Amino acid sequence: MSSVADVPQDPLPVIRSRAPRTLGGQVTAWLRANLFPSIPSSIVTLLMLAVLGKACISLWQWGIANAVWTMPGSDTSACRAVHGLGACWAVIPEKYRFILFGTYPFDEQWRPALAVAIFIALFVVSSRRSFWRKELILLWGAALVVIGLVMWGGLFGMSFVSQDRWGGLPVTLILATFGLAFGFPLGILVALGRRSKLPAIRSLCVLYVELIRGVPLVSLLFMASVMFPLFLPNGVNIDKLLRAQIAFILYAGAYLAEVVRGGLQAVPRGQYEAADAIGLSYWQKNALIVLPQAIRHVIPPLVNTFIAFFKDTSLVLIIGIFDLLTTAKTAIVDPAWQSFSVEVYVFVGAIYFVFCFAMSRYSRSLEAQRTQG
């Protein structure tokens, strides 16, 4: 009688091979799963494709096929000939310097251009984890001093240019950058204050947040421009741009405080207890344990607030400051170009989109790093 051990077995198992899926097969499977899973979904997909195709064709004809790209001098006859049928992109090379830099002296506009380049370089450097060291703060301080020197002038052979002549993209970046740079730490302090056990501090932080969030930004700018100087001593005058900057910092601080407070509430209670158990002080506990976790939880709403804040800088028109959108509106006051405002707004919208899309992509990369970590 033979045992199981005497039964001959195949030393190599049989491996059933599967034919690799081709790229065409993968695309077909994706289309069936996402766009054509059923008859109603297929009908909706076809209707949406028809509308999208019609829109793309119309946009191509208006923006590229029938568009006017250049024209001799300031003659707008070619643009007027295709008005309604094609875009007049010739207005952009004609007005782009005023749109970007406002009434800054024409021969000195390399200075605000340099300031914009420094801002963008700072944003790129600050987005790299390898540069997240103490030296980055010194780099920001030095770069901001250079930006102020370049914009104001008065030294090294550069003529002095008052803030009343500033405008365009540099003003938008100044308001947004300083507003977020000072508003974010303020928001963290207010968020911690709202969770404080001291009634006076907690009440003061609640009052600040509710007061700022309860009024529109336009009213804050109006108060900073008109009412704030009334509380200053005689002979003391603060520049209009600085007053608007203070309003933006207070506005950003209130909204960011609520975002950060939501992140603080998401941190498990055990993290607080563990930090207390190892003898950390209040500020050490929050700086080393609590806040890093809280900010990771609220990266999407933080970036959403940053994007909204960057676009809200266009409201400074109410107090007579020429930001990027305001200079674009002013550029088409010229009767020869009034009919081509759409092209100017598309150009300005593209600039806003580039900055906002960059912030969005950076937010996604931070979320991916948090998931991997």
Side-chain angles (χ1 to χ4, degrees):
M1 185 177 226
S2 62
S3 62
V4 178
D6 298 331
V7 178
Q9 298 182 3
D10 189 359
L12 295 176
V14 178
I15 300 177
R16 298 182 180 275
S17 61
R18 293 182 58 186
R21 297 180 62 181
T22 62
L23 179 61
Q26 294 177 357
V27 172
T28 303
W30 184 89
L31 291 175
R32 288 178 178 176
N34 295 276
L35 299 182
F36 303 98
S38 62
I39 294 179
S41 297
S42 301
I43 294 174
V44 173
T45 299
L46 293 176
L47 291 176
M48 294 298 295
L49 289 175
V51 173
L52 183 61
K54 175 62 177 177
C56 291
I57 292 174
S58 300
L59 185 61
W60 168 269
Q61 292 176 344
W62 177 82
I64 297 178
N66 300 328
V68 176
W69 300 90
T70 59
M71 63 177 57
S74 299
D75 183 14
T76 61
S77 58
C79 286
R80 297 185 182 279
V82 297
H83 183 61
L85 301 175
C88 179
W89 299 119
V91 67
I92 304 303
E94 181 71 21
K95 297 291 186 179
Y96 80 96
R97 294 186 66 167
F98 183 85
I99 295 172
L100 293 178
F101 309 123
T103 58
Y104 206 91
F106 190 84
D107 295 334
E108 301 288 333
Q109 287 184 355
W110 63 269
R111 290 159 56 180
L114 178 60
V116 171
I118 295 175
F119 269 123
I120 295 175
L122 285 175
F123 299 153
V124 173
V125 170
S126 301
S127 65
R128 306 296 179 183
R129 278 182 171 268
S130 57
F131 291 97
W132 290 3
R133 300 190 297 268
K134 295 180 179 179
E135 292 79 3
L136 183 60
I137 300 178
L138 299 178
L139 178 62
W140 267 88
L144 295 179
V145 170
V146 173
I147 290 174
L149 176 62
V150 169
M151 292 295 294
W152 268 299
L155 295 173
F156 305 110
M158 295 183 294
S159 60
F160 176 78
V161 179
S162 65
Q163 289 178 325
D164 295 336
R165 302 290 302 273
W166 298 9
L169 185 56
V171 169
T172 296
L173 292 179
I174 288 172
L175 291 173
T177 302
F178 283 97
L180 294 175
F182 290 95
F184 187 59
L186 176 61
I188 291 177
L189 293 177
V190 173
L192 293 174
R194 290 200 64 169
R195 296 168 59 87
S196 174
K197 297 179 180 179
L198 300 177
I201 295 179
R202 185 172 61 251
S203 300
L204 183 62
C205 292
V206 171
L207 178 63
Y208 163 70
V209 172
E210 297 302 329
L211 180 62
I212 297 297
R213 293 199 309 163
V215 296
L217 178 57
V218 172
S219 63
L220 291 178
L221 292 171
F222 181 78
M223 292 176 64
S225 177
V226 177
M227 299 187 64
F228 182 70
L230 300 178
F231 298 94
L232 297 177
N234 292 331
V236 177
N237 185 25
I238 299 180
D239 184 81
K240 181 167 56 178
L241 181 60
L242 180 57
R243 297 199 298 267
Q245 188 69 79
I246 294 173
F248 271 105
I249 292 173
L250 296 175
Y251 174 80
Y255 279 85
L256 292 173
E258 288 300 282
V259 175
V260 174
R261 189 168 69 92
L264 292 173
Q265 293 177 342
V267 178
R269 186 64 188 174
Q271 298 293 319
Y272 293 88
E273 296 173 353
D276 292 334
I278 62 178
L280 295 180
S281 66
Y282 175 81
W283 295 109
Q284 289 175 330
K285 175 177 63 177
N286 284 286
L288 301 177
I289 306 296
V290 178
L291 281 175
Q293 297 182 61
I295 292 175
R296 289 192 188 100
H297 287 303
V298 294
I299 289 176
L302 272 179
V303 175
N304 183 63
T305 305
F306 290 169
I307 291 175
F309 182 78
F310 179 76
K311 293 183 294 184
D312 285 343
T313 56
S314 60
L315 295 176
V316 294
L317 168 65
I318 195 68
I319 57 175
I321 296 178
F322 281 59
D323 72 307
L324 180 61
L325 186 60
T326 307
T327 54
K329 293 178 180 179
T330 309
I332 54 177
V333 171
D334 187 352
W337 300 100
Q338 283 182 349
S339 302
F340 313 109
S341 58
V342 174
E343 291 82 349
V344 173
Y345 288 134
V346 169
F347 174 69
V348 173
I351 296 176
Y352 277 104
F353 175 78
V354 168
F355 282 96
C356 294
F357 183 72
M359 286 187 278
S360 176
R361 294 294 298 178
Y362 182 62
S363 169
R364 293 183 60 181
S365 67
L366 287 179
E367 291 182 68
Q369 293 173 10
R370 183 193 67 176
T371 303
Q372 295 174 0

